[in-house]
């Protein structure tokens, strides 16, 4: 295979070779990326496990009460709201900590801290005595702090460990980890439900809680071998360490093809461009995110990430098992596992399209299709026949595949591409915080709207996500810029020069990587 060697300083983003060729060239980095991906699997398990366990009668009996109206065991909505809303609320604390810590001390130790906190939280959950659901709320709050750190650090760390020409693929990998974690969670739930059927048997749900030890424990064992983020090291002025980190990531005795010098030079160039546009040489503060073009970039990132909620992920994926059970769908556990298997398939499809199809097309198209599915699910819910129930299953499966092939993974590419490099950690932290606050509110609201002993909207709740999906579609149609194939330096210039979102794709740059103003309909300023 031909080498990629270039003159030092030449822009490596000019590489037009096939994606698979470039992926082969960086194969040495995969072992490090996989360590981060494994730690992120815990996000998926945590996001789903408690809600899946609502479908396990032994769990509901242990922490709930017998409801005469439904002739079954029910956990009170206030406790469901507590462990969902409380978890998301504590994720805010974790994300704020991560934004500060990541810039001060680096990415890899931040993940280690999150893993330790998650282990403590899961220990509290496993030891929660029967009849004390408040202990589960406390456990979820502790886990929430760890997840907040994890979800704010992983996208940044992955994007900065990946080759600059393939950052999108690196960042979106976190969604695959989350989805894979949800799939594992559904398999654990399936296995425990089938093998521990006694209504007083606590073994099943305790095994489900304990699986987190394996995942986060794996990162704690291996993080000593991880390289620090080269971008972080350059921003801290540790240039030799940055170059050593790049070499560790991409070179070994069997693979010396990757052009380390070009990678290093492009990171240096990005930092220099950002410093030119920065208001101050001082350390990055949260206040700087809300000034000038940074504010626009943060708002766009927030819309991109919370867009997952706008199309209904907080209900469809979180409550799916309980939803199938209440809808009267037979073999609901098997169908839940089937849906998450389909989600994994959708994620795999996204890897083939992320660098071949424009970000705008994937994201906005995914929002449109998910919104249509939401409307269809809500309309079909008025039917009471078995045929209506299975039609709902089909639409839910379609929603899941579309979401995991488009909006779900693409979000993580966007929230790392849109901010300045020097602001990336804090931007992702703020974005994650807003997402957690929205999830916090939904975590309290959804059980009251959905539960049979409360408002009992059932699947008609999907009308809500239909409305929010329409709003998101309109906003992103006019304001989401195209970032595919753009360097961080190019994106920086486009924002600084206030180029409209619809003109990002047509922008051209000269041989010195400077924006050609006429390509975006702007006049060249005269000195």
């Amino acid at each position: 295979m031909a080498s990629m060697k270039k003159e030092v300083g030449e822009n490596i983003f000019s590489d037009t070779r096939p994606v698979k060729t470039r992926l082969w060239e960086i194969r040495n980095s995969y072992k490090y990326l996989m360590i981060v991906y494994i730690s992120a699997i815990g996000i998926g398990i945590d996001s789903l496990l408690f809600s899946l366990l609502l479908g396990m009668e032994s769990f509901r009996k242990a922490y709930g009460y017998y409801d005469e109206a439904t002739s079954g065991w029910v956990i009170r909505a206030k406790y469901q709201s507590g462990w969902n809303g409380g978890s998301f609320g504590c994720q805010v604390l974790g994300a704020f900590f991560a934004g500060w810590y990541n810039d001060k001390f680096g990415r890899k130790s931040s993940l280690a801290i999150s893993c330790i906190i998650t282990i403590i939280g899961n220990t509290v959950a496993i030891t929660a005595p029967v009849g004390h659901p408040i202990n589960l709320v406390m456990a979820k709050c502790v886990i929430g702090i760890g997840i907040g750190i994890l979800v704010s650090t992983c996208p940044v760390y992955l994007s900065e460990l990946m080759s600059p020409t393939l950052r999108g693929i690196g960042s979106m990998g976190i969604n695959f980890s989350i989805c894979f974690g949800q799939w594992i969670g559904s398999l654990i739930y399936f296995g425990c439900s089938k093998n521990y059927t006694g209504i007083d048997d606590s073994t099943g749900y305790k095994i489900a809680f304990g699986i987190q030890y394996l995942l986060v424990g794996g990162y704690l064992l291996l993080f000593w071998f991880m390289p620090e983020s080269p971008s972080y090291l350059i921003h801290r002025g540790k240039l030799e360490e940055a170059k050593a980190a790049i070499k560790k990531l991409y070179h070994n005795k069997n693979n010396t093809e990757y052009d380390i010098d070009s990678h290093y030079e492009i990171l240096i160039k990005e930092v220099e461009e950002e410093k030119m546009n920065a208001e101050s040489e001082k350390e990055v503060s949260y206040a700087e995110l809300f000034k000038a073009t940074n504010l626009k970039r943060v708002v766009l990132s927030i819309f991109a990430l919370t867009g997952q909620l706008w199309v209904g992920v907080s209900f469809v994926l979180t409550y799916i098992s309980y939803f199938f059970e209440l809808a009267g769908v037979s073999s609901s556990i098997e169908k839940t596992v089937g849906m998450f298997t389909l989600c994994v398939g959708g994620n795999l499809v996204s890897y083939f399209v992320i660098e071949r199809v424009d970000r705008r097309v994937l994201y906005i198209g995914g929002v449109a299709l998910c919104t249509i599915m939401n409307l269809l699910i809500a309309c079909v819910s008025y039917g009471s026949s078995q045929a209506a129930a299975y039609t709902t299953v089909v639409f839910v499966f379609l929603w899941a595949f579309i979401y995991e092939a488009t909006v779900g993974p693409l979000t993580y590419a966007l929230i790392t591409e849109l901010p300045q490099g020097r602001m990336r950690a804090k931007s992702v932290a703020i974005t994650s915080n807003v997402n957690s606050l929205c999830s916090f509110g939904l975590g309290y609201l959804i059980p009251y709207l959905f539960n049979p002993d409360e408002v009992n909207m059932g699947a008609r709740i999907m009308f809500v996500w239909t409305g929010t999906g329409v709003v998101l579609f309109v906003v992103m149609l006019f304001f989401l810029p195209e970032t595919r194939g753009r360097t961080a330096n190019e994106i920086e210039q486009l924002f600084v020069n206030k180029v409209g979102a619809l003109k990002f794709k047509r922008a051209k740059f000269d041989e010195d990587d400077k924006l050609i103003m006429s390509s975006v309909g702007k006049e060249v300023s005269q000195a």
Side-chain angles (χ1 to χ4, degrees):
M1 184 173 62
S3 174
M4 170 188 165
K5 297 290 184 185
K6 297 177 174 64
E7 293 299 320
V8 174
E10 185 179 346
N11 191 342
I12 64 173
F13 287 83
S14 61
D15 190 355
T16 58
R17 295 174 303 158
V19 173
K20 64 180 181 180
T21 302
R22 287 179 280 156
L23 287 171
W24 172 254
E25 192 174 67
I26 64 168
R27 61 192 179 277
N28 188 62
S29 67
Y30 294 164
K31 57 180 176 285
Y32 302 112
L33 296 172
M34 284 301 299
I35 293 172
V36 182
Y37 290 144
I38 289 170
S39 71
I41 290 173
I43 302 172
I45 292 179
D46 178 74
S47 70
L48 186 68
L49 192 57
F50 272 75
S51 297
L52 278 180
L53 291 177
L54 288 174
M56 189 180 288
E57 191 174 22
S58 60
F59 182 73
R60 296 200 305 270
K61 182 174 186 279
Y63 300 106
Y65 71 99
Y66 190 80
D67 182 37
E68 297 289 347
T70 59
S71 300
W73 294 94
V74 177
I75 294 178
R76 296 186 186 279
K78 66 179 181 180
Y79 292 118
Q80 293 184 47
S81 296
W83 68 52
N84 284 323
S87 173
F88 288 124
C90 287
Q91 284 181 31
V92 173
L93 300 177
F96 267 124
F97 170 81
W100 166 79
Y101 188 96
N102 284 337
D103 280 340
K104 194 78 174 175
F105 301 106
R107 298 14 171 170
K108 78 172 187 176
S109 60
S110 179
L111 283 188
I113 291 171
S114 75
C115 291
I116 293 169
I117 294 172
T118 302
I119 287 173
I120 294 171
N122 275 283
T123 302
V124 175
I126 290 173
T127 57
V130 171
H132 292 76
I134 189 64
N135 289 54
L136 295 181
V137 175
M138 293 167 57
K140 281 289 283 181
C141 287
V142 174
I143 294 170
I145 295 173
I147 295 297
I149 299 171
L150 200 63
V151 97
S152 297
T153 303
C154 282
V156 177
Y157 197 18
L158 288 167
S159 71
E160 293 174 351
L161 290 180
M162 199 66 169
S163 167
T165 187
L166 295 167
R167 276 178 179 164
I169 289 179
S171 302
M172 64 180 274
I174 187 176
N175 191 74
F176 179 82
S177 292
I178 293 172
C179 180
F180 192 70
Q182 291 169 335
W183 180 66
I184 290 176
S186 68
L187 287 177
I188 295 168
Y189 169 63
F190 176 75
C192 292
S193 297
K194 294 297 183 183
N195 291 287
Y196 304 99
T197 56
I199 194 169
D200 294 310
D201 192 347
S202 65
T203 308
Y205 58 81
K206 287 189 175 182
I207 288 176
F209 290 140
I211 197 68
Q212 284 276 46
Y213 290 136
L214 298 176
L215 298 168
V216 295
Y219 181 81
L220 288 176
L221 290 174
L222 297 170
F223 97 99
W224 306 100
F225 306 101
M226 291 290 292
E228 184 53 88
S229 156
S231 292
Y232 162 78
L233 293 170
I234 288 175
H235 279 99
R236 301 298 292 184
K238 301 176 180 180
L239 304 186
E240 290 304 315
E241 290 181 42
K243 203 161 190 177
I246 297 172
K247 185 174 181 178
K248 182 176 182 178
L249 276 165
Y250 297 110
H251 275 194
N252 62 27
K253 63 181 181 180
N254 299 316
N255 176 21
T256 58
E257 302 164 19
Y258 190 78
D259 191 351
I260 290 174
D261 290 331
S262 285
H263 187 143
Y264 175 78
E265 288 296 323
I266 200 65
L267 292 182
I268 291 290
K269 193 171 186 178
E270 288 174 3
V271 171
E272 289 174 350
E273 183 71 27
E274 289 165 4
K275 285 183 176 179
M276 284 175 54
N277 296 321
E279 294 185 1
S280 166
E281 288 293 323
K282 296 179 181 177
E283 193 164 307
V284 176
S285 67
Y286 278 108
E288 194 174 339
L289 281 171
F290 301 96
K291 297 178 181 178
T293 59
N294 283 327
L295 176 59
K296 180 178 181 180
R297 297 163 85 158
V298 169
V299 171
L300 284 170
S301 295
I302 289 170
F303 268 99
L305 185 57
T306 59
Q308 296 180 332
L309 304 177
W310 291 48
V311 296
V313 70
S314 54
F315 176 74
V316 178
L317 297 188
T318 305
Y319 284 88
I320 190 62
S321 180
Y322 195 31
F323 167 64
F324 280 162
E325 183 179 328
L326 293 179
V329 177
S330 61
S331 303
S332 60
I333 297 174
E334 289 86 342
K335 289 179 175 59
T336 299
V337 174
M339 189 198 75
F340 283 106
T341 303
L342 195 64
C343 286
V344 172
N347 261 274
L348 292 174
V349 169
S350 70
Y351 277 96
F352 291 96
V353 299
I354 182 70
E355 295 299 336
R356 295 176 173 86
V357 181
D358 286 348
R359 307 282 197 258
R360 280 176 54 84
V361 173
L362 282 178
Y363 192 93
I364 297 171
V367 169
L369 292 173
C370 285
T371 301
I372 291 170
M373 291 300 112
N374 290 339
L375 178 60
L376 292 173
I377 292 168
C379 291
V380 171
S381 70
Y382 283 98
S384 56
S385 66
Q386 193 71 2
Y390 280 94
T391 302
T392 298
V393 171
V394 171
F395 287 141
V396 168
F397 275 36
L398 286 172
W399 183 100
F401 182 83
I402 292 166
Y403 172 84
E404 296 294 356
T406 57
V407 178
L410 190 58
T411 289
Y412 295 100
L414 290 172
I415 66 172
T416 55
E417 290 173 343
L418 288 170
Q420 268 191 357
R422 63 191 290 271
M423 306 294 296
R424 190 176 291 124
K426 284 186 169 61
S427 175
V428 172
I430 286 290
T431 301
S432 298
N433 272 339
V434 174
N435 189 62
S436 294
L437 287 171
C438 292
S439 299
F440 172 80
L442 290 171
Y444 274 102
L445 181 63
I446 289 175
Y448 286 99
L449 294 178
F450 180 67
N451 260 28
D453 61 338
E454 297 292 344
V455 179
N456 195 24
M457 285 185 71
R460 290 189 293 278
I461 197 175
M462 299 304 280
F463 281 125
V464 174
W465 314 129
T466 301
T468 55
V470 169
V471 174
L472 178 66
F473 174 83
V474 173
V475 170
M476 299 309 254
L477 183 65
F478 290 103
F479 296 104
L480 179 66
E482 182 55 60
T483 56
R484 181 174 72 96
R486 294 291 182 203
T487 70
N489 180 35
E490 289 170 352
I491 293 172
E492 172 74 5
Q493 292 182 64
L494 289 167
F495 274 110
V496 168
N497 286 287
K498 299 181 180 179
V499 175
L502 301 181
K503 296 180 180 179
F504 267 52
K505 186 177 180 179
R506 72 165 90 152
K508 297 186 183 302
F509 294 80
D510 62 23
E511 58 185 10
D512 295 320
D513 208 24
K514 296 296 182 182
L515 176 63
I516 300 174
M517 303 298 283
S518 60
S519 68
V520 291
K522 287 183 173 284
E523 304 242 348
V524 181
S525 59
Q526 300 296 323

